[in-house]
Amino acid sequence: MEFENIIVTQKEKWAIITINRPSKLNALNKSTIEELHQAFKQLNELDSVKAIIITGSGDKAFVAGADISEFADFDTNEGAELARKGQKLLFDFVQNLSTPVIAAVNGFALGGGLELAMAAHFRVASTNAKMGLPEVSLGVIPGYGGTQRLTQLVGKGKALEMIMTAGMIDADEAKSWGLVNHVVSQEELLPFTEKMATKITRNSSTAIAAAIKAVNANSTDGVNGFEIEIEAFGNCFGTKDFVEGTTAFLEKRKPNFE
């Protein structure tokens, strides 16, 4: 896979997507969002990729926000379409991807950058990470799912505090709030997330995809998450992975999932 703004590297049974616009602090412009969509889509279709790590190039930023110059002159209809298309192409797409996505948050994750990290299935931050949604300081609100996912992760009060103050929190505070799962040094960030990816790849990809669907159902309006879980649980019984997993357990050996 060759792209202009991102780098895709496949390692063993997982892949790393690196947003590579260091001179712009890896800001998300229209082209980068489209490339990320294509990269996630293609990797999700590969049987050889069982986990994906998303990170930013350099040591200053994961993603420092959206490219404001692209939409500074938009009207209300164009603004709504920008958010709608972006959510469909990337943020909702990543959240609902059947391949697990880990965000390795290095440095600044602001605005669209934090929204991208929150769309991933979980997050690991470096000790120098700074996270925030500063959109109200520009006269807008988060438009790529930030108001929804931040509330789901940290609760209404803390989400509104972050959004209304437009302030940043550090990695340790983000962990205490439940926004990130782990905090490690910047040198340890990729090795740590790669170890986590390795653990994931040892398990059933079909079961993991079903778990992602069931967990996401919990935050989907009008959907009974318990029913989705029951259905997904039942469907697992018809898979090769279920046969291999249960057989391996009874035979006291490690499973070998395809």
Side-chain angles (χ1 to χ4, degrees):
M1 302 179 195
E2 293 186 6
F3 299 97
E4 181 181 351
N5 299 311
I6 65 175
I7 299 169
V8 179
T9 308
Q10 189 169 346
K11 301 177 71 173
E12 298 182 24
K13 293 182 179 180
W14 71 89
I16 301 175
I17 300 175
T18 304
I19 302 168
N20 188 37
R21 302 184 73 213
S23 64
K24 300 290 185 180
L25 294 180
N26 302 322
L28 294 177
N29 60 359
K30 179 181 177 181
S31 175
T32 304
I33 288 175
E34 290 175 348
E35 288 188 4
L36 285 167
H37 170 80
Q38 290 300 323
F40 278 113
K41 184 175 185 292
Q42 291 176 38
L43 291 172
N44 192 53
E45 293 170 351
L46 292 177
D47 292 337
S48 57
V49 174
K50 294 190 172 186
I52 301 170
I53 298 168
I54 176 77
T55 193
S57 64
D59 57 5
K60 294 182 179 179
F62 172 72
V63 173
D67 195 331
I68 298 168
S69 64
E70 286 194 336
F71 57 80
D73 60 348
F74 277 15
D75 61 23
T76 55
N77 291 331
E78 290 172 315
E81 183 58 25
L82 175 74
R84 185 175 292 107
K85 185 175 181 180
Q87 288 194 32
K88 180 179 180 181
L89 268 180
L90 183 58
F91 301 88
D92 290 350
F93 188 78
V94 168
Q95 176 174 303
N96 294 302
L97 207 70
S98 58
T99 304
V101 178
I102 308 168
V105 182
N106 51 312
F108 292 109
L110 305 176
L114 181 55
E115 288 173 305
L116 177 58
M118 291 191 294
H121 298 118
F122 60 90
R123 290 143 294 285
V124 179
S126 60
T127 50
N128 70 324
K130 300 284 187 181
M131 285 158 263
L133 295 175
E135 285 86 349
V136 296
S137 68
L138 301 173
V140 296
I141 68 170
Y144 287 144
T147 63
Q148 306 304 297
R149 293 190 179 95
L150 184 60
T151 302
Q152 292 161 6
L153 288 166
V154 307
K156 180 180 177 181
K158 285 185 169 62
L160 282 171
E161 178 185 340
M162 283 186 68
I163 292 168
M164 291 191 294
T165 63
M168 293 186 292
I169 61 173
D170 63 23
D172 288 334
E173 192 167 14
K175 183 182 177 185
S176 71
W177 286 15
L179 184 53
V180 302
N181 294 52
H182 304 277
V183 176
V184 297
S185 70
Q186 194 158 35
E187 294 74 21
E188 294 176 300
L189 184 61
L190 277 182
F192 185 89
T193 51
E194 288 179 358
K195 287 180 181 178
M196 298 195 81
T198 298
K199 291 180 180 180
I200 289 170
T201 63
R202 293 171 183 160
N203 299 315
S204 164
S205 293
T206 55
I208 287 172
I212 290 171
K213 181 179 179 181
V215 171
N216 284 345
N218 181 60
S219 56
T220 304
D221 287 341
V223 175
N224 186 326
F226 291 100
E227 286 300 323
I228 297 297
E229 180 185 278
I230 290 168
E231 181 182 355
F233 177 78
N235 289 340
C236 287
F237 282 71
T239 67
K240 293 180 180 179
D241 281 1
F242 173 76
V243 174
E244 170 60 17
T246 53
T247 301
F249 177 83
L250 294 172
E251 294 178 351
K252 295 182 173 55
R253 61 175 175 82
K254 292 183 178 180
N256 181 24
F257 297 114
E258 294 181 3

